[in-house]
Amino acid sequence: MSVRRATHADSWYTADSRELDEQLSQWLDAVTPSSTYSPPIQRSKAIIAPHAGYSYSGPAAAWAYKSIDTTGIKRVFILGPSHHVYLDGCALSQCTEYATPIGSLPLDRATIDELDKTGQFSQMDLGTDEDEHSIEMHLPYIRKAFEGKAISVVPILVGAIDKAKEEAFGRILAPYLAREDTLFVISSDFCHWGTRFSYTFYYPQYPPGTTQPLRLSRAGTAPRELAEFPIHASISALDHEAMELLTLPPATARLAHADFAGYLARTRNTICGRHPIGVLLGALAVLQDEHARSPHLQWVRYEQSSQCVTVRDSSVSYASAYVAF
């Protein structure tokens, strides 16, 4: 048992506690309510938020964290995708505490031990734990959102699992999601576009359209549609297609999961947290189908790191959402 260091501080975000606290406060204060979005959201049970460097995704993530109603919450599950090790399953941390520049977060070892006893989880070693950024990037926001409150975390590293395993892990986690004192954080960026990501999918028109999507190439001739429908608009359309499929209602969680899997197979969109999202949908489907819960998933923010105009450009998309019952 050990303390996980804030290994991405001073690179992905500032290690200065005062500066970090001020940044988080500014981003949270900049979130603007509207006629359809009035945070905090009562009975919020989960959020989906990005995990890039704070200079890129910090402002977008604030919209998810602003949605949290912290009343009565004692435990936060964090489901993050594995970027550095191949994992055909889910893994638990062996640490007792996660450090952040603005205060540490104790791990809920009792809950982690319960999950371990199912025999379905592997264990992260400390090196894997400290290398992974998809969980760490949420820790300062969690500490800030629950400032002055006693809170513990349950980090889960989610591997490259198929839909059946997403459903199986969702079933294991569903009873925890149902608890009044528990919140889930789902860590995911959206489209990683550009040749450096080996992904140049392009919709020549807003979907659904009559023209087939393309894969742009530096060696090929730029399609004429780019003048009317630029790459950044295509990326936005591609991401919003997924976001609409995941919106609950009108879809049920089970239907959203099936449609999202089909969308990923068709587009190969580089949504790095697709498997944590799938596990969340698996858990929501159990609660909706077997326990008469009515989940509501709403997207509240969408941003791109830059606007791609040519195939030489690149960008990453960031989307924030909340789930409430």
Side-chain angles (χ1 to χ4, degrees):
M1 300 295 183
S2 57
V3 176
R4 183 200 185 278
R5 299 170 298 158
T7 51
H8 293 75
D10 243 355
S11 54
W12 291 56
Y13 58 97
T14 180
D16 183 279
S17 59
R18 179 177 295 181
E19 182 181 1
L20 179 58
D21 187 71
E22 289 176 353
Q23 285 180 344
L24 295 172
S25 295
Q26 289 170 1
W27 292 328
L28 289 165
D29 290 344
V31 174
T32 53
S34 67
S35 59
T36 58
Y37 175 60
S38 182
I41 305 301
Q42 290 189 346
R43 298 185 63 78
S44 53
K45 291 299 299 172
I47 61 170
I48 301 172
H51 56 238
Y54 278 2
S55 62
Y56 295 102
S57 71
W63 288 72
Y65 280 94
K66 190 78 169 185
S67 304
I68 297 172
D69 180 359
T70 61
T71 305
I73 300 297
K74 302 295 184 185
R75 177 189 306 104
V76 179
F77 278 66
I78 313 165
L79 276 61
S82 177
H83 287 84
H84 301 288
V85 297
Y86 176 74
L87 183 64
D88 186 23
C90 293
L92 303 169
S93 176
Q94 300 182 65
C95 295
T96 56
E97 186 177 297
Y98 275 7
T100 89
I102 58 172
S104 62
L105 289 163
L107 272 65
D108 183 348
R109 291 305 318 173
T111 296
I112 292 170
D113 290 344
E114 286 178 4
L115 294 173
D116 186 44
K117 287 176 182 176
T118 67
Q120 300 304 307
F121 294 83
S122 59
Q123 299 280 342
M124 280 187 275
D125 60 37
L126 183 60
T128 297
D129 208 336
E130 292 191 332
D131 284 347
E132 184 55 60
H133 65 274
S134 70
I135 293 173
E136 179 180 340
M137 298 308 294
H138 289 280
L139 303 178
Y141 255 122
I142 292 170
R143 184 66 281 169
K144 179 63 176 177
F146 291 90
E147 191 170 14
K149 296 178 182 290
I151 194 78
S152 61
V153 295
V154 180
I156 300 177
L157 189 63
V158 181
I161 55 180
D162 60 22
K163 181 173 177 288
K165 287 188 176 180
E166 291 172 355
E167 292 171 345
F169 280 105
R171 179 168 291 279
I172 293 171
L173 297 180
Y176 298 95
L177 181 58
R179 292 182 181 179
E180 295 293 328
D181 64 353
T182 300
L183 177 89
F184 274 52
V185 171
I186 308 301
S187 179
S188 183
D189 296 334
F190 266 64
C191 184
H192 299 62
W193 198 95
T195 55
R196 70 188 185 100
F197 298 116
S198 300
Y199 188 76
T200 56
F201 184 99
Y202 173 69
Y203 275 132
Q205 59 189 150
Y206 199 91
T210 56
T211 307
Q212 289 296 310
L214 309 171
R215 302 283 176 172
L216 301 184
S217 168
R218 291 191 178 192
T221 302
R224 64 180 184 278
E225 288 89 352
L226 281 177
E228 297 296 329
F229 199 57
I231 292 170
H232 62 82
S234 169
I235 296 170
S236 177
L238 175 67
D239 283 331
H240 279 84
E241 187 178 3
M243 292 159 66
E244 290 171 11
L245 292 174
L246 294 168
T247 300
L248 311 176
T252 64
R254 190 168 301 282
L255 178 61
H257 197 183
D259 287 347
F260 186 49
Y263 160 89
L264 291 170
R266 174 170 53 82
T267 67
R268 303 294 179 184
N269 193 1
T270 46
I271 300 172
C272 56
R274 56 193 176 276
H275 299 301
I277 292 172
V279 172
L280 172 67
L281 292 171
L284 291 174
V286 170
L287 297 180
Q288 186 170 30
D289 295 347
E290 301 175 20
H291 301 277
R293 296 295 188 98
S294 298
H296 177 86
L297 190 157
Q298 179 176 327
W299 297 95
V300 296
R301 191 67 172 177
Y302 176 79
E303 298 180 5
Q304 295 174 358
S305 62
S306 61
Q307 290 201 328
C308 293
V309 177
T310 77
V311 72
R312 292 176 174 81
D313 298 331
S314 65
S315 73
V316 180
S317 306
Y318 313 116
S320 288
Y322 68 82
V323 177
F325 288 145

